[in-house]
Amino acid sequence: MKDTPVVAAVNGTDERGDYRPGYEVVAERILEFIAEARLAPGDRMPTENDLAQRLDTSRAVVREAVKILSALGRVRAHKGRGLFVADDDGMLITSRWGGFFRPVDLDHVFMLFEFRRVQEMAAARLAATRSTPAELRAIEDAMQQCRHGYAHGEVDVFNQADDDFHAAVAAASHNTFLGSAVRDARRLQRQSSAIGIHDAFGEGTAAAVEEHEAIYRAIRDGRPDEAAEATAVHLDRTLEDYRREIQRRLFG
C-alpha cells in the first residue's frame, strides 16, 4: 500500500518534491504531541528513540526536528538528561497563546496574519500621533536597513531589520499591550520561517521595502488613517507571499 502524503513526508519519501521534508513534518508533530499531552514548560519529554517510534520515523529525522525546535525555543536538549519542554521566555510566550500554533498549517498562518493585521494597524495609527523624534529615527533606520539588506542580497540583515521596523512602530504607539502583542505574533511567525516556509527573498520582498517606506512616511507626516491603511496593504501582501509559497510546496 502506498504511503499517505504525511507518512511519506515523515519517512523522507514525499514524491511531490520539496514540500515539507521529513524533519519539518516531525517538528510539527512534536509540537502537536506537547500540546496534546498537556506538557508544561520544564516537563520532561520522551527520548529521541521514543519519539521516533511514536512517529514511525528514524531517530536521525527526529534529531533534525529537535534541532529546529531548540532553535525556536520550544524544546531544550540537556546532555545526559534528555529532552524537555523549554521554560525560557520564548516558550512562556508560545505556551500562553500559541502552543497550538502549527507553523506550516495555512489556516494557522491565516489566523496569525489576521491577528497581526488588527494589532499592527492600531499600532501604526497611534504611532502617527504619538511618535517622538527618536522613535521616528528608529523606524526610519530599520526601514533603510531593510532596503540595504534587500539591495545587497543579505537575507539575515533584511529579516532582522524587518523585525526592528515592526517593533519600532509598535513602540511608537506608546501602548505596552500592543507592543507585547506585536512581538509575540511576530515570534510565532518566525517559527514558520525557521521551519522553512519563508527563508529566502520572495517575489514580494521588493514590494515590502516600498511598503515599509509608505508606513514610515504616513507616521512621520502624522496621518494615522494612511498609516493604518499602508500597514494593512503590507500585511495582506505578505500573507499572499506565504500562501503562494505553501501552495508551491504543496503542488509544485
Side-chain angles (χ1 to χ4, degrees), residues 9 13-25 104 195-197 199 244-252:
T13 60
D14 191 344
E15 296 178 355
R16 291 175 298 176
D18 64 351
Y19 175 67
R20 302 186 72 185
Y23 62 84
E24 292 182 6
V25 178
V104 291
I195 290 183
I197 286 182
D199 53 3
R244 190 162 46 239
E245 176 63 11
I246 293 173
Q247 294 298 321
R248 183 186 69 80
R249 286 169 176 259
L250 274 169
F251 303 115

Side-chain angles (χ1 to χ4, degrees), residues 2-219:
K2 189 174 180 179
D3 285 340
T4 63
V6 171
V7 172
V10 169
N11 290 326
T13 60
D14 191 344
E15 296 178 355
R16 291 175 298 176
D18 64 351
Y19 175 67
R20 302 186 72 185
Y23 62 84
E24 292 182 6
V25 178
V26 170
E28 183 175 344
R29 291 181 66 187
I30 291 173
L31 292 180
E32 291 175 350
F33 167 78
I34 291 171
E36 290 168 1
R38 298 182 181 276
L39 296 181
D43 284 351
R44 183 186 294 273
M45 294 173 53
T47 66
E48 289 182 354
N49 279 335
D50 289 340
L51 287 170
Q53 292 177 2
R54 284 173 181 268
L55 301 178
D56 191 26
T57 188
S58 70
R59 182 177 178 182
V61 173
V62 169
R63 187 176 298 115
E64 291 302 310
V66 167
K67 287 180 182 178
I68 290 175
L69 296 177
S70 294
L72 294 175
R74 303 295 293 268
V75 169
R76 287 287 175 265
H78 295 286
K79 190 172 183 179
R81 296 178 55 205
L83 300 177
F84 295 82
V85 178
D87 57 4
D88 63 3
D89 183 58
M91 188 60 203
L92 292 176
I93 286 172
T94 53
S95 66
R96 181 166 71 242
W97 61 336
F100 65 90
F101 182 62
R102 298 177 184 176
V104 291
D105 185 307
L106 185 55
D107 286 338
H108 282 222
V109 174
F110 276 148
M111 286 188 287
L112 180 60
F113 270 89
E114 185 175 62
F115 179 77
R116 281 192 61 198
R117 195 178 195 272
V118 172
Q119 307 303 324
E120 296 196 39
M121 285 180 69
R125 181 176 280 111
L126 291 173
T129 62
R130 298 178 176 179
S131 57
T132 66
E135 288 164 345
L136 283 173
R137 283 195 298 274
I139 297 170
E140 182 180 19
D141 288 347
M143 175 194 74
Q144 295 294 359
Q145 275 295 97
C146 280
R147 189 178 293 279
H148 173 87
Y150 175 64
H152 292 84
E154 298 172 346
V155 177
D156 289 343
V157 170
F158 176 88
N159 287 340
Q160 182 59 60
D162 186 39
D163 270 348
D164 292 344
F165 178 84
H166 290 273
V169 172
S173 74
H174 289 231
N175 185 304
T176 301
F177 297 99
L178 277 176
S180 178
V182 169
R183 286 193 302 272
D184 289 0
R186 286 189 62 80
R187 189 160 191 157
L188 290 177
Q189 183 181 321
R190 283 198 296 275
Q191 294 181 9
S192 293
S193 302
I195 290 183
I197 286 182
H198 203 65
D199 53 3
F201 288 141
E203 296 176 21
T205 307
V209 170
E210 301 307 321
E211 290 158 3
H212 282 172
E213 182 161 356
I215 295 168
Y216 162 70
R217 289 183 181 277
I219 292 172

Side-chain angles (χ1 to χ4, degrees), residues 213-234:
E213 182 161 356
I215 295 168
Y216 162 70
R217 289 183 181 277
I219 292 172
R220 180 198 64 187
D221 296 343
R223 294 179 276 125
D225 290 342
E226 290 183 34
E229 180 58 30
T231 299
V233 168
H234 174 54

